[in-house]
Amino acid sequence: MGRANPLSRFRARHAFVPVAWAVTALLAMMAGARAEEPGPPKQVTWTRYDAAPYMITGGPEADTGIFDQVRHLLMGHLADYTHQTLVVPFPRVVSAMKQGMEWCFVGGVQTPERDAYAYFSRPTGLFYPLRIVVRETQRARFEALGPLSLRSLLTDHPNLRTSVLRQRAIAPGVDALLQASTSAQRHSEFSEAFRMLQNDRLDYLVEFANIAAYYAKALGEPAPWIGLPMAESPEPIFSRVMCPRTPWGRTVIDRIDAVLPAERASARYRGIVEAWSAPEDLAKLRAVYDSSFLSSE
């Protein structure tokens, strides 16, 4: 048997080199193509309900409420997301967050209970002042009980009818009193409660003054309902954006937190927060805005 030609072995071994390079190039092209394929669309569903003047869902002023304007501002900073809005009762917002749905809500009050299922942004707004809201015809009856205390109204005067929004958080002390009450009714919509007040099915509501004034006008009251101070009235309450406690929610909240310091310092943003506040409440709001809201985390 003759010896093999060394050149033939060299040619055979190196014949595979162009093939190997071709395969490597093809795999690289396929990997690059996969890298360039778009991922799942990034979307935020913003939830709203009728809580004027913070969220206005109908009429000529629709979508111009305080939280509506904040939402539009934030949407502009999240231009790489698509956005849709959904009008649902607040209890449905809470249940969706607990399920991890990719919903966000402008205007949530942070509580330890909500921290279990939601992430919260830096503060985006202020609630103030909280009052005992009554009809003009009931003013003397309630002033005779003064100085008013919510605790006293609920425990010593259970015959006086009130109602509280399901799943709502106002302030810790106020929430504890309302949740412990067995006489307070429950409602799902702000307009529902104010219609009951108007029709003498409730005697009073615990509500923020600008919300009461807006609904009095919307329901055709000749003058705003009376807002009486109570012992438990809190300092201005900060509202925030809340998103589900998931990696997706954390990312959205981080994006929002990154833009809020500069936005809150602007005259435009201050004007949004002050909108619909009574003149007599502006001095307090402005003092809190400058002293703690601008620096709040």
Side-chain angles (χ1 to χ4, degrees):
M1 182 180 294
R3 291 190 305 172
N5 186 340
L7 290 177
S8 65
R9 288 198 302 270
F10 177 84
R11 285 194 297 268
R13 184 168 62 250
H14 289 273
F16 290 102
V17 173
V19 175
W21 276 107
V23 171
T24 301
L26 179 60
L27 291 174
M29 291 173 60
M30 293 173 62
R34 283 195 298 270
E36 293 173 1
E37 289 176 1
K42 295 163 60 176
Q43 178 174 293
V44 180
T45 296
W46 298 94
T47 55
R48 308 167 58 223
Y49 56 89
D50 188 36
Y54 293 94
M55 293 169 285
I56 305 175
T57 60
E61 294 175 320
D63 211 28
T64 64
I66 296 169
F67 295 161
D68 295 323
Q69 294 183 62
V70 171
R71 172 172 48 82
H72 283 296
L73 183 152
L74 296 176
M75 287 165 59
H77 285 285
L78 296 171
D80 52 326
Y81 285 77
T82 59
H83 302 270
Q84 68 172 4
T85 58
L86 187 64
V87 177
V88 292
F90 189 64
R92 176 73 181 100
V93 176
V94 171
S95 64
M97 296 258 179
K98 291 180 177 178
Q99 296 168 28
M101 296 179 67
E102 294 182 349
W103 291 10
C104 290
F105 173 72
V106 180
V109 175
Q110 188 172 13
T111 68
E113 177 190 3
R114 291 178 177 178
D115 280 335
Y117 60 83
Y119 286 121
F120 288 85
S121 71
R122 301 170 189 259
T124 56
L126 298 169
F127 290 116
Y128 181 80
L130 191 66
R131 295 286 185 257
I132 298 293
V133 177
V134 301
R135 301 185 308 279
E136 175 65 44
T137 56
Q138 295 293 304
R139 180 174 192 159
R141 179 184 185 186
F142 278 82
E143 287 182 337
L145 302 175
L148 284 177
S149 161
L150 178 59
R151 182 185 299 277
S152 177
L153 287 176
L154 293 171
T155 58
D156 301 334
H157 305 279
N159 57 307
L160 294 174
R161 301 159 298 173
T162 191
S163 186
V164 60
L165 182 72
R166 291 184 179 89
Q167 305 284 355
R168 190 181 189 184
I170 299 175
V174 174
D175 295 336
L177 291 172
L178 291 171
Q179 290 166 10
S181 172
T182 57
S183 60
Q185 303 176 38
R186 300 292 186 270
H187 58 272
S188 297
E189 299 284 352
F190 280 79
S191 56
E192 174 189 356
F194 284 108
R195 282 194 296 269
M196 289 193 291
L197 182 68
Q198 183 182 47
N199 295 326
D200 195 26
R201 292 168 55 200
L202 293 176
D203 295 304
Y204 71 97
L205 288 169
V206 180
E207 194 51 83
F208 292 101
N210 55 357
I211 294 179
Y214 192 98
Y215 279 97
K217 179 180 178 182
L219 294 174
E221 286 290 309
W225 287 301
I226 306 302
L228 302 173
M230 62 180 183
E232 298 85 358
S233 291
E235 289 294 293
I237 305 298
F238 290 172
S239 62
R240 305 166 186 264
V241 178
M242 55 188 293
C243 298
R245 198 172 187 85
T246 63
W248 177 91
R250 179 74 271 171
T251 298
V252 175
I253 291 295
D254 286 345
R255 290 281 301 276
I256 290 170
D257 279 348
V259 303
L260 280 176
E263 285 291 353
R264 294 185 308 189
S266 69
R268 173 194 175 192
Y269 201 99
R270 184 186 291 265
I272 291 173
V273 171
E274 292 181 0
W276 282 288
S277 292
E280 61 268 24
D281 298 324
L282 286 176
K284 178 72 171 182
L285 281 175
R286 288 169 178 168
V288 172
Y289 199 104
D290 291 328
S291 64
S292 58
F293 181 75
L294 285 176
S295 59
S296 59
E297 295 292 332

